[in-house]
Amino acid sequence: MLRAQECLQRNGLVGLLADRAPRAERVLEVPFLGQPAPLPTGPHLLAAVLGAPVMLAFGIWRGPRHYEVRFEPFAEPLPPGRAGREAAIAERVRRYAARLEALCREHPYNWFNFYDFWRRDAA
């Protein structure tokens, strides 16, 4: 967290995977492609604690050696303090899952994931 804070203070970017959680990290089960999927709350909590906005980044394969890279504004910084933080983070995790699902449906042959987040013992 300290390294992320230092990076943000230098106007840098911090990249985190928000579709998988290391063992023992808090997750929230949200609808994703027709089933509940456990997505981590940690990246959203880190952004909240550091007062950082959240951008989404996607790389969409368009052909051999050709990717379209998209950056999308996703969420403004949360107000400081803990009041309402948990509910706001849960809402962000649900919105993230919905956005990821929309891109998966828009480009169905573009997505692969070797991390089985539907498997109960994978998280």
Side-chain angles (χ1 to χ4, degrees), residues 4-94:
Q5 183 179 33
E6 291 169 0
C7 180
L8 293 171
Q9 288 172 339
R10 293 188 313 269
N11 294 321
L13 299 173
V14 176
L16 301 171
L17 293 174
D19 66 343
R20 64 200 71 204
R23 290 197 185 276
E25 184 176 331
R26 270 186 66 200
V27 297
L28 180 66
E29 286 205 354
V30 295
F32 182 68
L33 296 172
Q35 294 185 49
L39 296 183
T41 58
H44 302 281
L45 176 60
L46 181 63
V49 168
L50 296 179
V54 177
M55 298 283 293
L56 300 182
F58 301 101
I60 299 171
W61 185 79
R62 295 295 191 184
R65 297 173 27 177
H66 184 166
Y67 283 84
E68 175 186 340
V69 178
R70 291 185 187 178
F71 291 92
E72 302 175 4
F74 181 71
E76 292 299 317
L78 288 175
R82 294 179 184 226
R85 182 190 294 167
E86 193 168 330
I89 289 171
E91 186 269 334
R92 288 181 179 193
V93 173
R94 284 189 287 275

